[in-house]
Coordinates of all heavy atoms in Angstrom, one line a residue:
M1 N 34.9 -1.7 24.2 CA 35.6 -2.6 23.2 C 34.6 -3.2 22.3 O 33.6 -3.8 22.8 CB 36.4 -3.7 24.0 CG 37.3 -4.5 23.2 SD 38.6 -5.3 24.1 CE 39.6 -3.9 24.6
A2 N 34.8 -3.1 21.0 CA 33.8 -3.5 20.0 C 33.9 -5.0 19.7 O 35.0 -5.6 19.8 CB 34.0 -2.7 18.7
K3 N 32.7 -5.6 19.5 CA 32.6 -7.0 19.1 C 33.4 -7.1 17.7 O 33.3 -6.3 16.8 CB 31.1 -7.3 18.9 CG 30.8 -8.7 18.5 CD 29.3 -8.9 18.4 CE 29.0 -10.1 17.6 NZ 27.5 -10.3 17.5
L4 N 34.1 -8.2 17.6 CA 34.9 -8.5 16.4 C 34.0 -9.2 15.4 O 33.0 -9.9 15.7 CB 36.0 -9.5 16.7 CG 37.1 -9.0 17.7 CD1 38.1 -10.1 18.0 CD2 37.8 -7.7 17.2
S5 N 34.3 -9.0 14.1 CA 33.6 -9.7 13.0 C 34.0 -11.2 13.0 O 35.1 -11.5 13.6 CB 33.9 -9.0 11.7 OG 35.2 -9.3 11.3
N6 N 33.2 -12.0 12.3 CA 33.6 -13.4 12.2 C 35.0 -13.5 11.5 O 35.8 -14.4 11.9 CB 32.6 -14.2 11.4 CG 31.3 -14.4 12.2 OD1 31.2 -14.2 13.4 ND2 30.3 -14.8 11.5
E7 N 35.3 -12.7 10.5 CA 36.6 -12.7 9.9 C 37.7 -12.4 10.8 O 38.7 -13.0 10.8 CB 36.6 -11.8 8.7 CG 37.9 -11.8 7.9 CD 37.8 -10.9 6.7 OE1 37.0 -11.2 5.7 OE2 38.5 -9.9 6.6
E8 N 37.5 -11.3 11.6 CA 38.5 -10.9 12.6 C 38.7 -12.0 13.7 O 39.9 -12.3 14.1 CB 38.1 -9.6 13.3 CG 38.1 -8.4 12.4 CD 37.5 -7.2 13.0 OE1 36.4 -7.3 13.7 OE2 38.1 -6.1 12.9
I9 N 37.7 -12.7 14.1 CA 37.8 -13.8 15.0 C 38.6 -14.9 14.4 O 39.5 -15.5 15.1 CB 36.4 -14.3 15.5 CG1 35.7 -13.1 16.3 CG2 36.5 -15.5 16.3 CD1 34.2 -13.4 16.6
Q10 N 38.2 -15.3 13.2 CA 39.0 -16.4 12.6 C 40.4 -16.1 12.4 O 41.3 -17.0 12.6 CB 38.3 -16.8 11.2 CG 36.9 -17.4 11.4 CD 36.9 -18.6 12.3 OE1 37.8 -19.4 12.3 NE2 35.8 -18.8 13.0
Q11 N 40.7 -14.9 12.0 CA 42.1 -14.4 11.9 C 42.9 -14.5 13.2 O 44.0 -15.0 13.3 CB 42.2 -13.0 11.3 CG 43.6 -12.6 11.1 CD 43.6 -11.2 10.4 OE1 42.6 -10.5 10.3 NE2 44.8 -10.7 10.1
A12 N 42.2 -14.1 14.3 CA 42.9 -14.1 15.6 C 43.1 -15.6 16.0 O 44.1 -15.9 16.6 CB 42.0 -13.4 16.6
L13 N 42.1 -16.4 15.8 CA 42.2 -17.8 16.2 C 43.3 -18.6 15.4 O 43.8 -19.6 15.9 CB 40.8 -18.5 16.0 CG 39.7 -18.1 16.9 CD1 38.4 -18.9 16.7 CD2 40.1 -18.2 18.4
S14 N 43.6 -18.1 14.3 CA 44.7 -18.8 13.5 C 46.0 -18.7 14.2 O 46.9 -19.5 14.0 CB 44.8 -18.2 12.1 OG 45.4 -16.9 12.2
T15 N 46.1 -17.8 15.2 CA 47.4 -17.7 16.0 C 47.2 -18.4 17.4 O 48.2 -18.4 18.2 CB 47.7 -16.2 16.3 OG1 46.7 -15.6 17.1 CG2 47.8 -15.4 15.0
L16 N 46.1 -19.0 17.6 CA 45.8 -19.7 18.9 C 45.5 -21.2 18.6 O 44.4 -21.5 18.1 CB 44.6 -19.0 19.6 CG 44.9 -17.6 20.2 CD1 43.5 -17.0 20.6 CD2 45.8 -17.7 21.4
D17 N 46.4 -22.0 19.0 CA 46.3 -23.4 18.7 C 45.1 -24.1 19.5 O 45.1 -24.0 20.7 CB 47.6 -24.2 19.1 CG 47.6 -25.6 18.7 OD1 47.1 -25.9 17.6 OD2 48.1 -26.4 19.4
G18 N 44.2 -24.7 18.7 CA 43.1 -25.5 19.4 C 41.9 -24.7 19.8 O 40.9 -25.3 20.2
W19 N 41.9 -23.4 19.6 CA 40.7 -22.6 20.0 C 39.8 -22.6 18.8 O 40.2 -22.6 17.6 CB 41.1 -21.2 20.3 CG 41.8 -21.1 21.7 CD1 43.1 -21.3 21.9 CD2 41.2 -20.7 22.9 NE1 43.4 -21.1 23.3 CE2 42.2 -20.8 23.9 CE3 39.9 -20.4 23.3 CZ2 42.0 -20.5 25.2 CZ3 39.7 -20.1 24.6 CH2 40.7 -20.2 25.6
S20 N 38.5 -22.6 19.1 CA 37.5 -22.5 18.0 C 36.4 -21.5 18.4 O 36.3 -21.1 19.5 CB 36.9 -23.9 17.8 OG 36.2 -24.4 19.0
F21 N 35.6 -21.1 17.4 CA 34.6 -20.2 17.5 C 33.2 -20.9 17.4 O 32.9 -21.5 16.3 CB 34.7 -19.1 16.4 CG 33.6 -18.0 16.5 CD1 33.4 -17.3 17.7 CD2 32.8 -17.8 15.4 CE1 32.4 -16.3 17.7 CE2 31.8 -16.8 15.4 CZ 31.6 -16.1 16.6
K22 N 32.5 -21.0 18.5 CA 31.2 -21.7 18.5 C 30.2 -20.9 19.4 O 30.6 -20.4 20.4 CB 31.3 -23.1 19.1 CG 32.2 -24.0 18.3 CD 32.2 -25.4 19.0 CE 33.3 -26.3 18.3 NZ 33.5 -27.4 19.1
N23 N 29.0 -20.8 18.9 CA 27.9 -20.2 19.7 C 28.3 -18.8 20.3 O 28.1 -18.6 21.5 CB 27.5 -21.2 20.8 CG 26.9 -22.4 20.2 OD1 26.3 -22.5 19.2 ND2 27.3 -23.5 20.9
N24 N 28.9 -18.0 19.5 CA 29.3 -16.6 19.9 C 30.4 -16.6 21.0 O 30.5 -15.6 21.8 CB 28.0 -15.9 20.4 CG 28.1 -14.5 19.9 OD1 28.7 -14.1 18.9 ND2 27.3 -13.6 20.6
N25 N 31.2 -17.7 21.2 CA 32.3 -17.8 22.1 C 33.5 -18.3 21.4 O 33.4 -19.0 20.4 CB 32.0 -18.8 23.2 CG 30.8 -18.5 24.0 OD1 30.8 -17.5 24.8 ND2 29.7 -19.3 23.9
I26 N 34.7 -18.0 22.0 CA 35.8 -18.8 21.6 C 36.1 -19.8 22.7 O 35.8 -19.5 23.9 CB 37.1 -17.9 21.3 CG1 37.5 -17.1 22.5 CG2 36.9 -17.1 20.0 CD1 38.8 -16.4 22.3
E27 N 36.4 -21.0 22.3 CA 36.5 -22.0 23.3 C 37.6 -23.0 23.1 O 38.1 -23.2 21.9 CB 35.2 -22.7 23.5 CG 34.7 -23.4 22.3 CD 33.3 -23.9 22.5 OE1 32.3 -23.1 22.7 OE2 33.1 -25.2 22.4
K28 N 38.1 -23.7 24.1 CA 39.1 -24.7 24.0 C 38.9 -25.7 25.2 O 38.5 -25.3 26.3 CB 40.5 -24.1 24.0 CG 41.6 -25.1 23.8 CD 42.9 -24.5 23.6 CE 44.0 -25.6 23.5 NZ 45.3 -25.0 23.2
Q29 N 39.3 -26.9 25.0 CA 39.4 -27.9 26.0 C 40.8 -28.3 26.3 O 41.6 -28.4 25.4 CB 38.7 -29.2 25.5 CG 37.4 -28.9 24.7 CD 36.2 -29.2 25.5 OE1 36.1 -30.2 26.1 NE2 35.2 -28.3 25.5
F30 N 41.2 -28.3 27.6 CA 42.5 -28.7 28.0 C 42.4 -30.0 28.8 O 41.5 -30.3 29.5 CB 43.1 -27.6 28.9 CG 43.3 -26.3 28.2 CD1 42.2 -25.3 28.3 CD2 44.4 -26.0 27.5 CE1 42.4 -24.1 27.7 CE2 44.6 -24.7 26.9 CZ 43.6 -23.8 27.0
Q31 N 43.5 -30.8 28.7 CA 43.6 -32.0 29.5 C 45.0 -32.0 30.2 O 46.0 -31.6 29.6 CB 43.5 -33.2 28.7 CG 43.5 -34.5 29.5 CD 43.1 -35.7 28.7 OE1 42.4 -35.6 27.7 NE2 43.5 -36.9 29.1
F32 N 44.9 -32.3 31.5 CA 46.1 -32.3 32.4 C 46.4 -33.7 32.9 O 45.6 -34.6 32.7 CB 45.9 -31.3 33.5 CG 45.6 -29.9 33.0 CD1 44.3 -29.4 32.8 CD2 46.7 -29.0 32.7 CE1 44.1 -28.2 32.4 CE2 46.4 -27.7 32.3 CZ 45.1 -27.3 32.1
R33 N 47.5 -33.8 33.6 CA 47.9 -35.1 34.1 C 46.9 -35.6 35.2 O 46.6 -36.8 35.3 CB 49.3 -35.1 34.8 CG 50.4 -35.0 33.8 CD 51.7 -35.1 34.5 NE 51.9 -34.0 35.4 CZ 52.8 -33.0 35.3 NH1 53.7 -33.1 34.3 NH2 52.9 -32.1 36.2
D34 N 46.4 -34.7 36.0 CA 45.5 -35.1 37.1 C 44.7 -33.8 37.6 O 44.9 -32.7 37.0 CB 46.3 -35.7 38.3 CG 47.4 -34.8 38.8 OD1 47.3 -33.6 38.7 OD2 48.4 -35.3 39.3
F35 N 43.9 -34.1 38.5 CA 43.0 -33.0 39.1 C 43.8 -31.9 39.7 O 43.5 -30.7 39.5 CB 42.0 -33.6 40.1 CG 41.2 -32.5 40.7 CD1 40.1 -31.9 40.1 CD2 41.4 -32.1 42.0 CE1 39.3 -30.9 40.6 CE2 40.6 -31.1 42.6 CZ 39.6 -30.5 41.9
V36 N 44.9 -32.2 40.4 CA 45.7 -31.1 41.0 C 46.3 -30.2 40.0 O 46.3 -29.0 40.2 CB 46.7 -31.7 42.0 CG1 47.7 -30.7 42.5 CG2 46.1 -32.5 43.1
E37 N 46.8 -30.7 38.9 CA 47.4 -29.9 37.9 C 46.3 -29.0 37.2 O 46.5 -27.9 36.9 CB 48.1 -30.8 36.8 CG 48.8 -29.9 35.8 CD 49.6 -30.8 34.8 OE1 50.8 -31.1 35.2 OE2 49.0 -31.1 33.8
A38 N 45.1 -29.6 37.0 CA 44.0 -28.9 36.4 C 43.6 -27.7 37.3 O 43.4 -26.6 36.9 CB 42.9 -29.8 36.0
F39 N 43.4 -28.1 38.6 CA 42.9 -27.0 39.5 C 44.0 -26.0 39.7 O 43.6 -24.8 39.8 CB 42.5 -27.7 40.8 CG 41.8 -26.8 41.7 CD1 40.4 -26.6 41.5 CD2 42.4 -26.1 42.7 CE1 39.7 -25.8 42.3 CE2 41.7 -25.2 43.6 CZ 40.3 -25.1 43.4
G40 N 45.2 -26.3 39.8 CA 46.3 -25.3 39.9 C 46.3 -24.4 38.8 O 46.5 -23.2 38.9
T41 N 46.1 -24.9 37.6 CA 46.1 -24.1 36.4 C 44.9 -23.1 36.4 O 45.0 -22.0 36.1 CB 46.1 -24.9 35.1 OG1 47.2 -25.8 35.1 CG2 46.0 -24.1 33.9
M42 N 43.7 -23.7 36.9 CA 42.6 -22.8 37.0 C 42.8 -21.7 38.0 O 42.3 -20.6 37.8 CB 41.4 -23.7 37.5 CG 40.8 -24.6 36.4 SD 39.5 -25.7 37.0 CE 38.2 -24.5 37.2
T43 N 43.5 -22.0 39.0 CA 43.8 -20.9 40.0 C 44.6 -19.8 39.4 O 44.3 -18.6 39.6 CB 44.5 -21.6 41.3 OG1 43.7 -22.6 41.8 CG2 44.8 -20.5 42.3
R44 N 45.6 -20.2 38.7 CA 46.5 -19.2 38.0 C 45.7 -18.4 37.0 O 45.8 -17.1 36.9 CB 47.7 -19.8 37.3 CG 48.7 -20.3 38.4 CD 50.0 -20.8 37.8 NE 49.9 -22.0 37.0 CZ 49.8 -23.2 37.4 NH1 49.8 -23.4 38.7 NH2 49.7 -24.2 36.6
I45 N 44.8 -19.0 36.3 CA 43.9 -18.3 35.3 C 43.0 -17.4 36.0 O 42.7 -16.3 35.6 CB 43.2 -19.3 34.4 CG1 44.2 -20.1 33.5 CG2 42.1 -18.6 33.6 CD1 43.5 -21.3 32.8
A46 N 42.4 -17.9 37.2 CA 41.5 -17.1 37.9 C 42.1 -15.8 38.4 O 41.5 -14.7 38.4 CB 40.9 -17.9 39.1
I47 N 43.4 -15.8 38.9 CA 44.1 -14.6 39.3 C 44.2 -13.7 38.2 O 44.0 -12.5 38.3 CB 45.4 -15.0 40.0 CG1 45.1 -15.8 41.3 CG2 46.3 -13.8 40.2 CD1 46.3 -16.4 41.9
L48 N 44.7 -14.2 37.0 CA 44.8 -13.4 35.8 C 43.5 -12.7 35.4 O 43.4 -11.5 35.1 CB 45.4 -14.2 34.7 CG 45.3 -13.6 33.3 CD1 46.3 -12.4 33.2 CD2 45.6 -14.6 32.2
A49 N 42.4 -13.5 35.3 CA 41.1 -13.1 34.9 C 40.6 -11.9 35.8 O 40.0 -11.0 35.4 CB 40.1 -14.2 34.9
E50 N 40.9 -12.1 37.1 CA 40.4 -11.1 38.1 C 41.2 -9.8 37.8 O 40.6 -8.7 37.8 CB 40.7 -11.6 39.5 CG 40.1 -10.6 40.6 CD 38.6 -10.4 40.5 OE1 37.9 -11.3 40.0 OE2 38.1 -9.4 41.1
K51 N 42.5 -9.9 37.6 CA 43.3 -8.7 37.3 C 42.8 -8.0 36.0 O 42.8 -6.8 35.9 CB 44.8 -9.0 37.1 CG 45.4 -9.3 38.4 CD 46.9 -9.7 38.2 CE 47.6 -10.1 39.5 NZ 48.9 -10.5 39.3
M52 N 42.4 -8.8 35.0 CA 41.9 -8.2 33.8 C 40.4 -7.8 33.9 O 39.9 -7.2 33.0 CB 42.0 -9.3 32.6 CG 43.4 -9.6 32.2 SD 43.4 -10.9 30.9 CE 42.8 -9.9 29.5
N53 N 39.7 -8.2 35.0 CA 38.3 -8.0 35.2 C 37.5 -8.6 34.0 O 36.6 -7.9 33.4 CB 38.0 -6.5 35.4 CG 36.6 -6.3 35.9 OD1 36.0 -7.1 36.6 ND2 35.9 -5.2 35.5
H54 N 37.9 -9.8 33.6 CA 37.3 -10.5 32.5 C 37.3 -12.0 32.8 O 38.4 -12.6 32.8 CB 38.1 -10.2 31.2 CG 37.3 -10.6 30.0 ND1 36.1 -10.1 29.7 CD2 37.7 -11.4 29.0 CE1 35.7 -10.7 28.5 NE2 36.7 -11.5 28.1
H55 N 36.2 -12.5 33.1 CA 36.1 -13.9 33.7 C 35.6 -14.9 32.7 O 34.6 -14.7 32.0 CB 35.3 -13.8 34.9 CG 35.7 -12.7 35.9 ND1 35.2 -11.4 35.9 CD2 36.7 -12.7 36.8 CE1 35.9 -10.7 36.8 NE2 36.8 -11.5 37.3
P56 N 36.2 -16.0 32.6 CA 35.8 -17.1 31.7 C 34.6 -17.9 32.2 O 34.3 -17.9 33.4 CB 37.0 -18.0 31.6 CG 37.7 -17.9 33.0 CD 37.5 -16.4 33.4
E57 N 33.9 -18.5 31.3 CA 32.9 -19.5 31.6 C 33.7 -20.8 31.5 O 34.3 -21.1 30.4 CB 31.8 -19.4 30.6 CG 30.7 -20.5 30.8 CD 29.6 -20.5 29.8 OE1 29.3 -19.4 29.3 OE2 29.1 -21.5 29.5
W58 N 33.7 -21.6 32.5 CA 34.5 -22.8 32.5 C 33.9 -23.9 33.3 O 33.1 -23.7 34.2 CB 35.9 -22.6 32.8 CG 36.2 -22.0 34.2 CD1 35.3 -21.8 35.3 CD2 37.4 -21.5 34.7 NE1 36.0 -21.3 36.3 CE2 37.3 -21.0 36.0 CE3 38.7 -21.4 34.1 CZ2 38.3 -20.5 36.8 CZ3 39.7 -20.8 34.9 CH2 39.5 -20.4 36.2
T59 N 34.3 -25.1 32.9 CA 33.9 -26.3 33.7 C 35.2 -27.2 33.8 O 36.1 -27.2 33.0 CB 32.8 -27.2 33.0 OG1 33.3 -27.5 31.7 CG2 31.5 -26.4 32.9
N60 N 35.2 -27.9 35.0 CA 36.3 -28.8 35.3 C 35.8 -30.1 35.7 O 34.9 -30.2 36.6 CB 37.2 -28.2 36.3 CG 38.1 -29.2 37.0 OD1 38.0 -29.5 38.2 ND2 39.0 -29.7 36.2
V61 N 36.2 -31.2 35.1 CA 35.9 -32.5 35.5 C 37.2 -33.3 35.6 O 37.9 -33.5 34.5 CB 34.9 -33.3 34.6 CG1 34.7 -34.7 35.0 CG2 33.6 -32.5 34.5
Y62 N 37.6 -33.6 36.8 CA 38.9 -34.3 37.1 C 40.1 -33.6 36.4 O 40.5 -32.5 36.8 CB 38.8 -35.8 36.7 CG 40.1 -36.5 37.1 CD1 40.6 -36.5 38.4 CD2 40.9 -37.2 36.1 CE1 41.8 -37.2 38.7 CE2 42.1 -37.8 36.4 CZ 42.5 -37.8 37.7 OH 43.7 -38.4 38.0
N63 N 40.6 -34.1 35.3 CA 41.8 -33.5 34.7 C 41.5 -32.7 33.4 O 42.3 -32.3 32.7 CB 42.8 -34.6 34.3 CG 42.4 -35.6 33.3 OD1 41.2 -35.8 33.0 ND2 43.3 -36.2 32.6
K64 N 40.2 -32.5 33.2 CA 39.8 -31.8 32.0 C 39.2 -30.4 32.3 O 38.5 -30.3 33.3 CB 38.7 -32.6 31.2 CG 39.3 -33.9 30.6 CD 38.2 -34.6 29.9 CE 38.8 -35.9 29.2 NZ 39.2 -36.9 30.2
L65 N 39.6 -29.4 31.5 CA 39.1 -28.1 31.7 C 38.6 -27.5 30.4 O 39.3 -27.6 29.4 CB 40.3 -27.2 32.2 CG 40.1 -25.7 32.3 CD1 38.9 -25.3 33.3 CD2 41.4 -25.0 32.7
S66 N 37.4 -27.1 30.4 CA 36.8 -26.5 29.2 C 36.6 -25.0 29.5 O 36.0 -24.6 30.5 CB 35.4 -27.1 28.9 OG 35.6 -28.5 28.6
I67 N 37.0 -24.1 28.6 CA 36.9 -22.7 28.7 C 36.2 -22.1 27.5 O 36.5 -22.4 26.4 CB 38.3 -22.1 28.9 CG1 39.1 -22.6 30.1 CG2 38.3 -20.5 28.9 CD1 40.5 -22.1 30.2
K68 N 35.3 -21.2 27.8 CA 34.6 -20.4 26.8 C 34.8 -18.9 27.2 O 34.6 -18.5 28.3 CB 33.1 -20.7 26.8 CG 32.7 -22.1 26.4 CD 31.2 -22.3 26.4 CE 30.9 -23.7 26.0 NZ 29.4 -23.9 26.1
L69 N 35.1 -18.1 26.2 CA 35.3 -16.7 26.4 C 34.4 -15.9 25.4 O 34.3 -16.2 24.2 CB 36.7 -16.3 26.1 CG 37.8 -17.0 26.9 CD1 39.2 -16.6 26.4 CD2 37.7 -16.7 28.4
S70 N 33.8 -14.9 26.0 CA 33.1 -13.8 25.2 C 32.9 -12.6 26.1 O 33.0 -12.7 27.3 CB 31.7 -14.3 24.7 OG 30.8 -14.4 25.7
T71 N 32.6 -11.5 25.5 CA 32.4 -10.3 26.3 C 30.9 -10.0 26.3 O 30.3 -9.5 25.3 CB 33.2 -9.1 25.6 OG1 34.6 -9.5 25.6 CG2 33.1 -7.8 26.5
H72 N 30.3 -10.3 27.4 CA 28.8 -10.3 27.4 C 28.3 -8.9 27.2 O 27.2 -8.7 26.5 CB 28.3 -10.8 28.8 CG 28.7 -12.3 29.0 ND1 28.1 -13.3 28.3 CD2 29.7 -12.8 29.7 CE1 28.7 -14.4 28.6 NE2 29.6 -14.2 29.5
D73 N 29.0 -7.9 27.7 CA 28.5 -6.5 27.5 C 28.5 -6.1 26.0 O 27.7 -5.2 25.6 CB 29.4 -5.5 28.2 CG 29.4 -5.6 29.7 OD1 28.4 -6.3 30.2 OD2 30.2 -5.1 30.4
E74 N 29.3 -6.7 25.2 CA 29.4 -6.4 23.8 C 28.6 -7.4 22.9 O 28.5 -7.3 21.7 CB 30.8 -6.3 23.3 CG 31.6 -5.2 23.9 CD 31.1 -3.8 23.5 OE1 30.5 -3.7 22.4 OE2 31.2 -2.9 24.3
G75 N 28.1 -8.5 23.5 CA 27.3 -9.5 22.8 C 28.1 -10.4 21.9 O 27.6 -10.9 21.0
G76 N 29.4 -10.6 22.3 CA 30.2 -11.5 21.4 C 31.7 -11.4 21.8 O 32.1 -10.9 22.8
V77 N 32.5 -11.9 20.9 CA 34.0 -11.9 21.1 C 34.6 -10.6 20.8 O 34.3 -10.0 19.8 CB 34.6 -13.1 20.2 CG1 36.1 -13.1 20.4 CG2 34.0 -14.4 20.6
T78 N 35.5 -10.1 21.7 CA 36.2 -8.9 21.5 C 37.7 -9.2 21.6 O 38.1 -10.3 22.0 CB 35.8 -7.8 22.5 OG1 36.3 -8.2 23.8 CG2 34.3 -7.6 22.5
E79 N 38.5 -8.1 21.4 CA 40.0 -8.2 21.6 C 40.3 -8.7 23.1 O 41.3 -9.3 23.3 CB 40.7 -6.9 21.3 CG 40.8 -6.6 19.9 CD 41.8 -7.6 19.2 OE1 42.7 -8.2 19.8 OE2 41.6 -7.8 18.0
K80 N 39.4 -8.3 24.0 CA 39.6 -8.7 25.4 C 39.6 -10.2 25.5 O 40.4 -10.8 26.3 CB 38.6 -8.1 26.3 CG 38.9 -8.0 27.7 CD 37.8 -7.1 28.4 CE 38.3 -6.8 29.8 NZ 37.3 -6.0 30.5
D81 N 38.8 -10.9 24.8 CA 38.7 -12.4 24.8 C 40.0 -13.0 24.2 O 40.5 -14.0 24.7 CB 37.5 -12.9 24.1 CG 36.2 -12.3 24.7 OD1 36.0 -12.6 25.9 OD2 35.5 -11.5 24.1
I82 N 40.4 -12.4 23.1 CA 41.6 -12.9 22.4 C 42.8 -12.7 23.3 O 43.6 -13.7 23.4 CB 41.8 -12.1 21.0 CG1 40.6 -12.3 20.1 CG2 43.1 -12.6 20.4 CD1 40.2 -13.7 19.7
E83 N 42.9 -11.6 24.0 CA 44.0 -11.4 24.9 C 44.0 -12.4 26.0 O 45.0 -12.9 26.4 CB 44.0 -9.9 25.4 CG 45.2 -9.6 26.3 CD 46.6 -9.8 25.7 OE1 46.7 -9.7 24.5 OE2 47.5 -10.2 26.5
L84 N 42.8 -12.6 26.6 CA 42.7 -13.6 27.7 C 43.1 -15.0 27.2 O 43.8 -15.7 27.9 CB 41.4 -13.5 28.3 CG 41.1 -14.5 29.5 CD1 42.2 -14.3 30.6 CD2 39.7 -14.3 30.1
A85 N 42.7 -15.3 26.0 CA 43.0 -16.6 25.5 C 44.5 -16.8 25.3 O 45.1 -17.8 25.6 CB 42.3 -16.9 24.1
K86 N 45.2 -15.7 24.8 CA 46.7 -15.7 24.7 C 47.3 -15.9 26.1 O 48.3 -16.7 26.2 CB 47.2 -14.5 24.0 CG 46.8 -14.4 22.6 CD 47.3 -13.1 22.0 CE 46.9 -13.0 20.5 NZ 47.3 -11.7 19.9
Q87 N 46.8 -15.2 27.1 CA 47.4 -15.3 28.4 C 47.2 -16.7 29.0 O 48.0 -17.2 29.7 CB 46.8 -14.2 29.3 CG 47.1 -12.8 28.9 CD 48.6 -12.5 29.1 OE1 49.3 -13.0 30.0 NE2 49.2 -11.7 28.1
I88 N 46.0 -17.3 28.7 CA 45.7 -18.6 29.2 C 46.7 -19.6 28.5 O 47.2 -20.5 29.2 CB 44.2 -19.0 28.9 CG1 43.3 -18.2 29.8 CG2 44.0 -20.5 29.0 CD1 41.8 -18.4 29.4
E89 N 47.0 -19.4 27.3 CA 47.9 -20.3 26.6 C 49.3 -20.2 27.2 O 50.0 -21.2 27.4 CB 48.0 -20.0 25.1 CG 46.8 -20.4 24.3 CD 46.7 -21.9 24.3 OE1 47.7 -22.7 24.2 OE2 45.5 -22.4 24.3
S90 N 49.7 -19.0 27.6 CA 51.0 -18.8 28.3 C 51.0 -19.5 29.6 O 52.0 -20.1 29.9 CB 51.2 -17.3 28.5 OG 52.4 -17.1 29.2
I91 N 49.9 -19.4 30.4 CA 49.9 -20.1 31.7 C 49.9 -21.6 31.5 O 50.7 -22.3 32.2 CB 48.6 -19.7 32.4 CG1 48.7 -18.3 32.9 CG2 48.3 -20.6 33.6 CD1 47.5 -17.7 33.5
V92 N 49.1 -22.1 30.6 CA 49.1 -23.6 30.3 C 50.4 -24.1 29.8 O 50.9 -25.2 30.2 CB 47.9 -24.0 29.4 CG1 48.0 -25.4 29.0 CG2 46.6 -23.6 30.0
G93 N 51.1 -23.3 29.0 CA 52.4 -23.7 28.5 C 53.5 -23.8 29.6 O 54.4 -24.6 29.4
K94 N 53.2 -23.2 30.7 CA 54.2 -23.3 31.8 C 53.9 -24.4 32.7 O 54.6 -24.7 33.7 CB 54.2 -22.0 32.6 CG 54.7 -20.8 31.8 CD 54.6 -19.5 32.6 CE 55.0 -18.3 31.8 NZ 54.8 -17.1 32.5
T95 N 52.7 -25.1 32.5 CA 52.3 -26.2 33.4 C 53.1 -27.5 33.1 O 53.3 -27.8 31.9 CB 50.8 -26.5 33.2 OG1 50.1 -25.2 33.5 CG2 50.3 -27.5 34.1

């Protein structure tokens, strides 16, 4: 899967609310009601990521979750990252 150009990344991000392109990653910060909701969401994302064989870089502090996506084998953002971001949005939307 080929690395996307900056223009392709910006175009894809225009369809993803709150995601930004920084330091060769697409990233977003989420906030939940509490730790249990944040961790439950992380668990659902982890199952999805494992099925896709594409794993996020993320951190969690109490009710906040920060996610960064890039395809390390390609040296940047690919369609795989955009697809995972869309799936993450779907999961978070159900929370």
